[in-house]
Every structure is written in C-alpha cells, then in structure tokens.
Amino acid sequence: MTINELPGTYNITGSNQDEAAVTYKGTMDLTLDENNRILAKWTINNNQEQLGAGFFKNNILVINFNYQGEDGKIYKGVVVYKCITKDILEGFWSEKHGNPLYLGEERCFRVGTQREVVN
C-alpha cells in the first residue's frame, strides 16, 4: 500500500480510553500536505472536532491529534492504525491525560465500501 491510497473519508467506530469503554461513531477525513504528511480531521458523534498530523510507513499510520474538550482545555494524544487494506484501518490510541490502564480503539471503513459503518 502507498501513502497516496490513504486520502479519503472514513466512517469510524471506536471505544474510549477508560474502563467503561464507552463507544462512539463518527467520520475521519485524511488528506496529504505538500510534504506527503498525513493530515486528519475527525468528527466524533456529530459534534466534537479533532485535528491531527502524522506519517505512514510499512502499512502503519501514526497520527498525533488534539482537540478542545467541553471544559475548554486542549487534549492531546496519538493514534496508531494498521492499514488492513486501502479501505479498512484498525487502530488504538491514547491521550496524555487518559487512563493509563487502557487504550482506546478505533476501526475505520472508507465511505462507499461494503463494510461502511452507518451513523
């Protein structure tokens, strides 16, 4: 797989970095900048926007992300995706102030594919 196959819109399902593993749904848009770095924008549960930037090598995509919480604070973390195919990404993530005993999880399906998740 090449980095040029990654850009697009993906539907996502995931679970948070806590004991309850609260689930969420949303979308993720991937684009490339002028240096072939990945730019990501997530919209979680139709109301929370997260932004990130990262890199791709050997079918592994790593993105550092951040977002503003409801409390006005900026939260930061990193997500690592294994690119199963050009249409399916499987990942795990952690936030700096999240529960260190747990990892969040996320699955991404390119919009328009048969495994696409319905919001």
Side-chain angles (χ1 to χ4, degrees), residues 16-28:
N16 285 328
Q17 182 186 351
D18 54 29
E19 183 176 11
V22 175
T23 60
Y24 59 87
K25 292 182 181 180
T27 59
M28 176 179 68

Side-chain angles (χ1 to χ4, degrees), residues 11-88:
N11 284 317
I12 59 170
T13 60
S15 59
N16 285 328
Q17 182 186 351
D18 54 29
E19 183 176 11
V22 175
T23 60
Y24 59 87
K25 292 182 181 180
T27 59
M28 176 179 68
D29 292 306
L30 296 180
T31 58
L32 294 176
D33 72 8
E34 64 278 358
N35 298 311
N36 270 349
R37 294 288 183 173
I38 295 289
L39 301 178
K41 177 182 174 184
W42 294 264
T43 303
I44 307 296
N45 292 333
N46 295 318
N47 62 4
Q48 182 185 79
E49 183 177 281
Q50 299 184 8
L51 300 174
F55 48 92
F56 175 79
K57 185 173 181 173
N58 297 330
N59 291 339
I60 302 294
L61 174 60
V62 178
I63 302 173
N64 293 298
F65 66 89
N66 66 77
Y67 65 95
Q68 184 173 0
E70 292 176 4
D71 57 6
K73 294 179 183 177
I74 300 296
Y75 291 88
K76 297 178 180 182
V78 64
V79 60
V80 178
Y81 294 107
K82 180 178 181 182
C83 300
I84 308 299
T85 70
K86 67 180 184 66
D87 298 323
I88 301 172

Side-chain angles (χ1 to χ4, degrees), residues 87-117:
D87 298 323
I88 301 172
L89 312 178
E90 198 170 88
F92 60 93
W93 57 268
S94 179
E95 289 182 7
K96 180 178 180 182
H97 297 293
N99 187 331
L101 298 177
Y102 302 94
L103 290 172
E105 294 185 4
E106 198 164 271
R107 290 187 58 97
C108 311
F109 303 93
R110 187 182 302 271
V111 170
T113 60
Q114 290 183 5
R115 292 185 159 203
E116 178 179 330
V117 177

